[in-house]
């Protein structure tokens, strides 16, 4: 396969601003087709490549033999359905997070993936950034001694946009589905551990939609405090606090947008170590990793089983509410 030919289902803002440019920038990758019923929304995509074919139905993308893989940035409530349909149509598929609204929904996707032999994954881009691989090496290598506590925060404010799909129940809105995958998933990725139980869960809602979730989870030997909110000032930070040191990740989830990718290792009696990753685009790396998996060159770093573990964690927090 000389290049992986992509189609996108829907002209979402995130697809326009992040994923379409990443597909164009990635090696051995080409954006071939876009499905949208709004010609105006297609224009920014056409500006990236005048050869882009635009159709008005998702099914047309799935039926086209010139498309090898599809990227799905649809509302959360549609992810399982269209991921399954894409696989059944013979396409590799990368679906925005969360790929499902409940962990058991992913069982079906795993079964279809295995039956078809295609690559299916959640677009959990942070595991493709080298800063997280370094943090994992530090923690699992004992650089901070015994890990005792993780503190992970991701907040923003979209209260001025009530029509946003994140602010409606019907489209699977809420801060945990949107950004809880980051605070919870990064902890699982770094430690390789799963939560044992939820010690505390405080869920705030507006019009039935969860807009703030603070939870404390017990792992083997350490606790995680996770805060996500769609009603607080923009902020993100993750720290790993051990018996002999601390690791701080200051732009953990959106480097290049939120801030520079920097991680700091602080240990008593030793010089502070600061690692910087200027210019690394985790979306481009995600597309290239997906292509490598499709070509059989490497295993995909974030399989559906990993995503199911994070969704199971979210389900545990929902169950502990109240």
């Amino acid at each position: 396969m000389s290049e992986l030919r992509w189609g996108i289902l829907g002209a979402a803002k995130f697809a326009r601003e992040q994923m379409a440019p990443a597909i164009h920038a990635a090696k051995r990758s080409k954006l071939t087709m876009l499905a949208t019923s709004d010609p105006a929304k297609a224009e920014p995509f056409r500006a990236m490549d005048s050869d882009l074919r635009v159709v008005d139905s998702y099914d047309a993308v799935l039926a086209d033999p010139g498309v090898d893989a599809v990227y799905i940035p649809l509302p959360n409530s549609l992810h399982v359905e269209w991921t399954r349909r894409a696989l059944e149509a013979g396409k590799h598929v990368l679906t925005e997070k969360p790929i499902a609204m409940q962990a058991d929904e992913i069982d079906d996707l795993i079964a279809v993936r295995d039956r078809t032999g295609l690559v299916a994954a959640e677009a959990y881009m942070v595991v493709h950034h080298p800063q997280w691989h370094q943090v994992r090496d530090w923690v699992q290598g004992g650089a901070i001694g015994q890990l005792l506590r993780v503190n992970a925060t991701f907040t923003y404010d979209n209260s001025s946009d009530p029509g946003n799909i994140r602010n409606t129940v019907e489209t699977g809105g809420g801060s945990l589905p949107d950004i809880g995958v980051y605070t919870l998933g990064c902890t699982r990725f770094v430690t390789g551990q799963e939560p044992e139980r939820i010690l505390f869960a405080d869920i705030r809602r507006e019009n039935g939609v969860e807009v703030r979730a603070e939870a404390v989870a017990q792992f083997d030997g350490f606790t995680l405090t996770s805060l996500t909110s769609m009603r607080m000032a923009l902020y993100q930070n993750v720290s790993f606090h051990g018996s002999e040191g601390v690791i701080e990740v200051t732009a953990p989830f959106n480097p290049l947008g939120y801030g520079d990718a920097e991680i700091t290792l602080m240990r008593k009696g030793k010089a502070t170590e600061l690692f910087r990753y200027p210019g690394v685009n985790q979306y481009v790396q995600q597309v290239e990793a997906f292509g490598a998996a499709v070509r059989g060159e490497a295993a995909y770093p974030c399989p559906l089983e990993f995503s199911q573990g994070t969704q199971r964690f979210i389900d545990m927090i929902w169950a502990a509410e109240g």
Side-chain angles (χ1 to χ4, degrees):
M1 180 182 295
S2 59
E3 62 182 5
L4 190 64
R5 300 168 298 178
W6 287 85
I8 297 179
L9 305 189
K13 178 183 178 182
F14 189 81
R16 180 181 74 245
E17 294 182 350
Q18 299 292 351
M19 284 303 295
I23 291 171
H24 282 292
K27 299 174 183 176
R28 302 176 69 183
S29 178
K30 180 176 178 59
L31 179 55
T32 300
M33 183 176 284
L34 170 71
T36 177
S37 58
D38 187 341
K41 289 185 177 181
E43 287 311 307
F45 293 86
R46 286 188 187 276
M48 300 178 207
D49 188 339
S50 59
D51 294 332
L52 179 70
R53 291 180 290 149
V54 178
V55 293
D56 62 3
S57 79
Y58 304 152
D59 286 320
V61 175
L62 300 189
D64 196 288
V67 172
D68 306 307
V70 296
Y71 166 65
I72 300 177
L74 299 172
N76 297 342
S77 56
L78 299 176
H79 287 177
V80 169
E81 174 190 355
W82 284 98
T83 300
R84 183 190 304 110
R85 291 176 69 167
L87 288 169
E88 296 286 5
K91 308 301 184 187
H92 304 283
V93 56
L94 182 65
T95 302
E96 262 311 317
K97 48 77 189 165
I99 199 167
M101 300 306 299
Q102 293 183 339
D104 58 5
E105 294 179 319
I106 302 177
D107 288 333
D108 182 47
L109 299 182
I110 291 173
V112 179
R113 176 203 66 187
D114 291 347
R115 173 167 54 81
T116 60
L118 297 164
V119 177
E122 180 183 66
Y124 189 60
M125 73 289 187
V126 298
V127 300
H128 303 281
H129 199 292
Q131 70 173 348
W132 282 109
H133 291 263
Q134 180 62 64
V135 172
R136 184 175 61 178
D137 289 347
W138 277 338
V139 170
Q140 295 193 15
I144 58 172
Q146 179 186 355
L147 179 63
L148 301 172
R149 182 172 184 266
V150 181
N151 189 69
T153 301
F154 193 173
T155 62
Y156 64 90
D157 185 2
N158 69 357
S159 58
S160 63
D161 186 12
N164 190 295
I165 60 173
R166 296 166 183 81
N167 283 321
T168 54
V169 174
E170 294 77 14
T171 51
S175 79
L176 271 177
D178 185 38
I179 51 180
V181 294
Y182 298 123
T183 59
L184 309 180
C186 76
T187 303
R188 295 179 56 248
F189 178 76
V190 166
T191 65
Q193 292 193 31
E194 302 294 342
E196 297 176 343
R197 64 186 183 278
I198 305 302
L199 303 176
F200 169 82
D202 180 25
I203 308 295
R204 312 288 178 87
R205 297 180 186 273
E206 292 180 10
N207 301 316
V209 178
E210 172 265 309
V211 297
R212 173 176 169 173
E214 187 166 12
V216 179
Q218 180 67 57
F219 287 74
D220 182 14
F222 72 94
T223 57
L224 161 68
T225 299
S226 166
L227 171 64
T228 59
S229 176
M230 305 189 300
R231 297 295 184 269
M232 299 173 70
L234 178 65
Y235 179 69
Q236 53 183 264
N237 185 278
V238 181
S239 62
F240 297 83
H241 200 150
S243 59
E244 300 174 15
V246 176
I247 299 167
E248 185 173 18
V249 191
T250 54
F253 310 125
N254 299 121
L256 298 183
Y258 177 75
D260 295 332
E262 296 182 352
I263 55 175
T264 306
L265 173 62
M266 297 165 282
R267 293 177 288 182
K268 184 178 180 180
K270 297 185 179 181
T272 296
E273 296 183 43
L274 174 63
F275 283 28
R276 295 187 174 94
Y277 302 86
V280 174
N281 187 314
Q282 59 193 355
Y283 300 106
V284 173
Q285 295 205 326
Q286 176 178 247
V287 173
E288 292 182 348
F290 191 90
V294 167
R295 291 187 291 270
E297 299 167 353
Y300 193 66
C302 185
L304 289 177
E305 287 82 357
F306 178 87
S307 299
Q308 187 173 45
T310 299
Q311 185 59 52
R312 190 175 293 117
F313 197 170
I314 293 174
D315 293 349
M316 289 171 65
I317 296 174
W318 292 136
E321 180 183 3

